[in-house]
Amino acid sequence: MLKTKIAVLVSGGGTNLQSLIDAQQSGIIKSGEIALVVSSSETAYALERAKNHGIAYLAVSKKSCGSQAEFENKIQRALTENGIQLVVLAGFMSILSADFVSKWEKRIINVHPSLIPSFCGEGYYGLRVHEAALKYGVKLTGATVHFVNEIPDGGEIILQKSVPVYKNDTPETLQKRVMERAEWKILPRAAELVSRKILKEGISYGLQRK
Ligand code: GAR
């Protein structure tokens, strides 16, 4: 069966990448296949996860590239060479330029660990998001999967899931609950939804051209 080719961009532990790999194995993701993992860090454990599952991977460090433009050129080259149709940002800690994302309109999705529009945008990533949620005193938080546009965390929302905040939560306990109950559930579901849409569009485009 024809499948949408997915690249997953990561920077750290890669638990969201793992949720995508597991979802592919269990059949939750059936319209797409993870064809490439790109890490912005050479030491990210996410690379081990790719290796363990026989997925092509590469590390592109911004430092060794010297500039954002070269960093993005290298990523773009890898995506093109691997025939990638959908890019999933799964804990990718680098903001992509407007120039880059405009080439991938509705083809990049991101998972963010809060209910957007709360605790999002530049400076809100990883544990900082949960620190901010606890400081504000919200009783509900969660995760969001959205399309990526030129505004950090500003693209159209695809899926959201809420998670309760408990009195004794630390940023770490809250992060774990948000990952387990929200991120790892909605990211694979969103990847399937968008993969299926890309596949359908590709097929109807092919038919129109005949
Ligand atoms: C996840 O919680 C993800 O939502 C967050 O970083 C973590 C990466 O964990 N991403 C952001 O904050 C992006 N703004 P992982 O490497 O184990 O998937």
Side-chain angles (χ1 to χ4, degrees):
M1 185 188 140
L2 204 61
K3 293 193 181 202
T4 295
K5 289 186 110 185
I6 303 172
V8 185
L9 272 52
V10 295
S11 298
T15 63
N16 278 290
L17 166 65
Q18 191 65 51
S19 78
L20 292 164
I21 295 171
D22 294 347
Q24 189 172 293
Q25 282 171 353
S26 71
I28 292 171
I29 297 179
K30 48 182 184 292
S31 308
E33 64 173 341
I34 306 166
L36 180 68
V37 170
V38 179
S39 172
S40 63
S41 152
E42 278 152 21
T43 55
Y45 184 69
L47 289 172
E48 293 298 316
R49 298 183 194 266
K51 211 184 292 179
N52 291 341
H53 290 85
I55 302 167
Y57 62 91
L58 102 145
V60 183
S61 95
K62 210 192 274 188
K63 250 194 199 155
S64 69
C65 288
S67 69
Q68 178 75 16
E70 190 44 34
F71 175 67
E72 291 182 353
N73 281 343
K74 273 202 178 153
I75 294 175
Q76 178 64 55
R77 226 173 295 142
L79 299 178
T80 309
E81 279 168 15
N82 286 275
I84 298 302
Q85 297 161 290
L86 171 64
V87 177
V88 178
L89 307 185
F92 186 63
M93 298 304 178
S94 218
I95 293 179
L96 294 164
S97 71
D99 184 47
F100 184 95
V101 301
S102 68
K103 292 184 196 128
W104 288 87
E105 205 191 338
K106 293 277 171 81
R107 292 290 182 273
I108 310 179
I109 67 173
N110 177 49
V111 62
H112 182 76
S114 76
L115 294 173
I116 289 176
S118 292
F119 316 118
C120 63
E122 242 177 299
Y124 286 101
Y125 56 86
L127 271 182
R128 289 179 181 215
V129 178
H130 305 293
E131 279 161 11
L134 289 176
K135 197 167 167 202
Y136 199 95
V138 291
K139 303 298 175 207
L140 272 183
T141 186
T144 304
V145 180
H146 61 93
F147 284 111
V148 172
N149 66 6
E150 69 289 356
I151 303 159
D153 298 324
E156 186 190 326
I157 291 172
I158 305 166
L159 291 175
Q160 288 188 303
K161 192 166 189 292
S162 66
V163 170
V165 179
Y166 298 142
K167 228 173 54 205
N168 298 324
D169 266 333
T170 62
E172 290 78 10
T173 59
L174 187 55
Q175 180 182 53
K176 185 167 180 278
R177 188 175 317 115
V178 168
M179 281 178 156
E180 288 174 354
R181 297 202 199 168
E183 294 184 48
W184 302 343
K185 300 235 160 35
I186 62 173
L187 183 61
R189 280 172 47 208
E192 169 58 20
L193 284 174
V194 181
S195 293
R196 199 188 313 153
K197 191 161 174 280
I198 292 174
L199 215 53
K200 268 196 198 151
E201 282 169 6
I203 290 166
S204 58
Y205 180 67
L207 288 175
Q208 276 164 15
R209 277 164 52 99
K210 270 184 193 164

